[in-house]
Amino acid sequence: MLNPSEIDALFDPDLPAPAFWEQQYPARQLPAGAEVTRFCPSPTGHAHIGGIHVAAIDAAIAHQSGGTYFVRIEDTDQAREVEGAVDRFDRAFRHFGVASDETDDTGLYGPYTQSRRARIYQTYVRELMRRGRAYPCFATKDELEALRADQLAKKVPSGYYGQWAPWRDASDDAVRERLAAGVPYVVRFRSPGTGERTTFHDRIRGTIEMDDNRADTVILKTSASPLRLPTYHLAHAVDDHLMGVTIVIRGDEWLSSVPVHHQLFDALGFPRIPYAHIAPLMKQEGKTRRKLSKRKDPEADVEYYAQAGYPTEAVLYYLRGLANGRLAEMPLDQALREPLRLEECGVTGALINLAKLEDICADHVAALPGPAILDRVKEWAKAYDLPLAEALENDEDLALRALAVERDGFDNPRKDLRKWADFRTHYGFFFRQLFATVTDPADPRFGGLAPDAVQELSRRLLDRYQPMEDGDAWFDQIRAVAAELNFADSARTYKQNPGLYPGSIKEASQAIRVLLTGSTRSPALHLVAATLGENEVRRRLNAVRTA
């Protein structure tokens, strides 16, 4: 083992002792039972909906106990960092209401970005080396590959341990020689494990038994890097201790790392922090299930939900229901207030079902008042559909009248608005600047109706058109025009003798529907017409012309 002065020479001479950092990060003053949780994304790509799922659980556990939740950016793997990822995370967390309670400007336990905490980690790595619990390793990539190949050939567990850990017990002279030559090295933790079984308690999964860690894990990356950043294993132990975390809630991909993490806590002299490992969100693919994939599944990206305009509270309600099934049986407002329980989280991944989510969204939106919907659509459109945003700003009264169609005063209100992007599809036709007037009498939306019949329907309806509140009376105008033009009075009559008629009353009414709405499906035409106003109805009926 190198002597203390030789170890200290490997680090900045001004590096503080551990006691300094303990004073900088005093114990939090919190009420009894309050939990401190953290969500720690790595900026290596877009924000995953599974991350929002875990972050929402973190935030709920902290807030319902009177505690604190914060976000810490784990950017120690800088080779994989994607430019702009941190900003995307920030937008996603704010969008879904899981922004950090603490920031570099407001919190007392920052910095909240690991690359800015390098000196803290180096203090603790130096301390481990001083106590013989860590050592420099000069093994090259090729040498490590050869070690792994030998383990594979001998059918033994892989890892840097035992006879496959050549620098663990290397002579001091060999170490000094490499250091003097400036050979790059990493620092490895000297594991006390022998591979025997170890047992620990997980707040979700209960008692777990697995092989103890025997491998000497890298805790400080190559000396060739000017930042000298740690690996996640050491960084999270140091940070969670100093920042006062009371429970670590994270994805179950870290479950197998608990033994080495416990060893690090013990070696550093820190009390162990309880863990709770969340199962990943899954997707059904044929008869099998797989993890929701950033690469394969657009719905894995948080931006997918923002761009489509899924109501935030409905998405959070859905995710809470995936975490605790009892919450899915409650009304949305109640479920968002009810406490979330870690012991009720499943140990197998919950399936993401977009059809189910959209049904939840439809029910939620149908229960909202028109002004609330309009505010949300306007907010969404300013980011994703500027022409729609302009139309809504220019005529809010029309937007509210449109939203009232088959909603206000109806026992079973319309549920065609599931996400804010649907507004243009289902309500955009009400706005002149968004509506493409139908001018071609041979337009395929008329279903093959003869162009001259379309024009004549339009002309005659214009001649007699009167705005009417009663739906039957309003529709009688179409019925009268259709009769004058020899349209059959029912689809059944038309089918019996199709050669006698240009179409049935169904085709006639559909032609008027297309002229007014641009679609073969719409709310009741008399309500559409009343919302548009007589002048706009006449303008649209008069627009059709010979192709």
Side-chain angles (χ1 to χ4, degrees), residues 138-438:
F138 301 89
T140 66
K141 182 178 179 181
D142 289 343
E143 289 170 342
L144 293 173
E145 288 293 340
L147 292 174
R148 279 190 284 270
D150 187 46
Q151 289 172 332
L152 182 63
K154 293 177 178 176
K155 298 182 179 179
V156 297
S158 62
Y160 195 90
Y161 66 94
Q163 69 186 76
W164 299 280
W167 288 99
R168 177 182 172 108
D169 296 313
S171 69
D172 291 349
D173 287 342
V175 173
R176 290 185 183 112
E177 180 184 346
R178 295 295 179 100
L179 289 174
V183 177
Y185 64 91
V186 298
V187 176
R188 290 184 181 272
F189 173 60
R190 191 184 299 275
S191 171
T194 61
E196 301 297 323
R197 303 290 282 177
T198 186
T199 302
F200 58 89
H201 181 78
D202 185 279
R203 288 277 299 274
I204 291 174
R205 297 159 187 270
T207 300
I208 294 177
E209 182 180 336
M210 65 172 61
D211 289 343
D212 198 6
N213 172 65
R214 73 176 78 188
D216 289 355
T217 302
V218 175
I219 57 174
L220 191 65
K221 297 181 182 181
T222 176
S223 59
S225 169
L227 277 180
R228 299 299 306 278
L229 290 173
T231 59
Y232 170 82
H233 302 296
L234 179 102
H236 103 277
V238 171
D239 287 342
D240 288 344
H241 168 70
L242 292 178
M243 300 171 88
V245 173
T246 62
I247 179 169
V248 173
I249 303 169
R250 62 186 183 182
D252 70 355
E253 67 270 20
W254 292 107
L255 186 61
S256 62
S257 298
V258 171
V260 68
H261 293 166
H262 279 168
Q263 290 176 2
L264 280 165
F265 271 92
D266 294 346
L268 291 163
F270 301 157
R272 293 183 180 184
I273 298 173
Y275 288 108
H277 290 89
I278 304 294
L281 297 180
M282 308 291 283
K283 181 168 183 173
Q284 190 76 36
E285 193 168 68
K287 295 182 179 180
T288 63
R289 302 169 120 201
R290 60 168 175 79
K291 287 184 181 181
L292 196 64
S293 166
K294 287 183 180 181
R295 184 171 56 86
K296 295 180 180 179
D297 308 313
E299 67 270 30
D301 189 347
V302 168
E303 189 62 23
Y304 172 87
Y305 300 87
Q307 287 181 355
Y310 285 89
T312 303
E313 57 273 35
V315 176
L316 290 174
Y317 166 75
Y318 178 61
L319 292 176
R320 283 173 74 88
L322 294 181
N324 283 183
R326 66 186 166 84
L327 300 180
E329 305 303 318
M330 298 178 184
L332 184 145
D333 289 345
Q334 180 185 356
L336 293 179
R337 293 192 305 267
E338 285 287 317
L340 192 146
R341 299 169 186 158
L342 288 174
E343 62 271 18
E344 291 182 11
C345 291
V347 298
T348 58
L351 284 172
I352 282 284
N353 184 329
L354 289 182
K356 175 64 175 176
L357 173 59
E358 292 204 0
D359 286 344
I360 290 170
C361 293
D363 290 340
H364 173 60
V365 174
L368 293 176
I373 296 174
L374 179 57
D375 286 345
R376 300 291 296 279
V377 175
K378 284 168 61 178
E379 180 184 3
W380 173 85
K382 286 175 183 176
Y384 298 103
D385 190 342
L386 288 177
L388 174 59
E390 182 180 356
L392 297 176
E393 287 290 348
N394 290 341
D395 205 337
E396 289 191 2
D397 288 342
L398 174 59
L400 291 173
R401 293 199 309 274
L403 284 169
V405 172
E406 291 186 352
R407 293 184 75 255
D408 292 0
F410 282 74
D411 293 334
N412 295 304
R414 293 172 66 187
K415 293 185 178 180
D416 50 5
L417 193 57
R418 297 167 179 261
K419 45 194 184 297
W420 310 131
D422 294 340
F423 187 92
R424 178 187 275 268
T425 300
H426 297 293
Y427 295 88
F429 70 85
F430 283 103
F431 300 87
R432 181 181 290 196
Q433 60 266 56
L434 301 179
F435 179 68
T437 307
V438 183

Side-chain angles (χ1 to χ4, degrees), residues 464-536:
R464 68 168 67 222
Y465 183 75
Q466 294 292 326
M468 298 179 184
E469 293 186 5
D470 182 77
D472 289 337
W474 190 95
F475 193 77
D476 280 344
Q477 297 176 99
I478 298 178
R479 187 175 287 109
V481 168
E484 290 173 6
L485 295 174
N486 196 37
F487 279 78
D489 59 3
S490 70
R492 181 179 179 181
T493 301
Y494 174 66
K495 287 180 180 179
Q496 289 174 343
N497 291 288
L500 297 180
Y501 310 99
S504 72
I505 186 62
K506 176 182 177 182
E507 284 74 37
S509 62
Q510 284 292 69
I512 302 303
R513 189 181 306 277
V514 168
L515 290 172
L516 295 184
T517 71
S519 174
T520 58
R521 300 185 65 180
S522 76
L525 278 179
H526 75 287
L527 297 176
V528 169
T531 303
L532 290 173
E534 182 178 357
N535 289 341
E536 182 63 11

